[in-house]
Amino acid sequence: MRCILILFSVILSSVMAEISLPSMFSDGMIIQADSSVPVWGQAPAYEKVEIKGSWMGMAAMTRADSEGKWKTDIKTPEASRDSLELTITTGAGEYKAIKNVLAGEVWLCCGDENMQMPVSMAMNAEAEIENADRPEIRFFTPPESISVSPKEEISGKWKAANRMNTGSFSAAAYYFADQLYDQLRIPVGIISATCASSTAEAWISKDTITSSRKMLEIVRKYPKLEEYGKKKAEFSKKFKKWLETEEGQRPSEPSYIDYTGLPSATYNSMLSPLAPYRIKGAFFFQADANLARAYQYRFVLGLLIEDWRESWDVPQLPVYVVQPQIDGYSAENLKFVPEFWESQIDVTNKYQNTAPIVSYDVDKDNRQELGRRFSVNTLAYNYDLPDTPHKGPTFVRKRIEGSELRIFFDNVGRGLTTQTFGAVEGFEIAGIDRVYYPANAIIERNTILLSSSEVDQPVAARYGWSLTSENLPNLENRYDYPAQPFRTSRWKYITRE
């Protein structure tokens, strides 16, 4: 009997001493290079924990708290394609090794179905997947989910870019990683957190949303998220009972699909467990569920940037905002898009280390070009290559010249042109009656001269606002980057209540 008790005690202590790590800390992981990186996990209460990378001269030491939680920072090496190892050891001798670790650049790519669209559904999918052989590009893709409260763990594992895996990767994120790798020749890790039909507010913590007076309308939606939580709890009880008895029909789990747009729903389940895993920066590609609330979006998007910077404890975390493409939207939704773009531009002008990724001219399935635009922005802003062409013409000012209106631009590159080298399209002008008419647009050096037989005395102009097939915007610079949509006077918002 005594032998049995001793054996039981040994088994119990072994179980209790087991080290538990978040799923991101697993074989094949990419850690942010040349940085101070948080590492955290679970161990027996008050147990000493030693963390050592194969590149480290001395191990980092910490101790688990009363709940067994521990966290510390370690210094990572410069980016390299050399395989590394990270080990975690407790004072009791429990040991865990993470193998095939690479030090490189880690980016978060987050959003709705726009970011989620896989390589298998994008342009030239078959050939791209067949040729995918980039073991230094790795994705961590947690499953789409929502939660009523913040989670501490999420499932997932690192997968290398190869024929077996690449088809399921986010296409925009993959082609970004591919371009970045080509330019830098260092490992690239992508954390791809996406959920179809999610709103922007779904990716923000509850603390941040409830602290803003401008979010009162959104705050009122939390009870519906709690309703989902109650349904999940009821299902768990019924399912547990069914497992015990196997009597009757197996209970059906409540669908989360109708709740993906609720505030904090995807943050709780998909971002809360990830933060503060060190990242270089983030891309946010989300639009559809917020289009009709385009004016409000400027406040929501600003909160999202602030929230992520706090969650990752990086005050100036780079956050790139991807503008939705024209291709694929109905006429009903297309009318909201210009005000949505405007909100995105306003936010990126307000916050440092942010920028819009202008993409209205890119076909929906052309994720290769979209990924390239991701990469040139990061090369210019984050990798000390400021001369990398990455931006199209941006409005600076207007000047009234009798019956004509002249528009001045910045970022004209080697000069203004159009995508087809034909007539400039997409401009409208208005007089004091505030009625817009399509404008004749002439390129004169680095300016556009606008006129219309319907407007004798123009006072305002706009570009890329009436998105009809007869007047689609086509202005760009000679680096092939499109002009940002704009308007010189904000007389009216169709999405502002």
Side-chain angles (χ1 to χ4, degrees), residues 147 201-206 209 222 225 262-268:
S147 176
E201 57 266 27
W203 298 101
I204 307 174
S205 72
K206 186 175 182 178
I209 289 177
Y222 276 109
L225 184 61
L262 296 176
S264 308
T266 48
Y267 175 91
N268 288 340

Side-chain angles (χ1 to χ4, degrees), residues 219-228:
V219 169
R220 295 190 186 102
K221 298 178 182 179
Y222 276 109
K224 188 173 181 183
L225 184 61
E226 292 166 3
E227 171 191 306
Y228 171 77

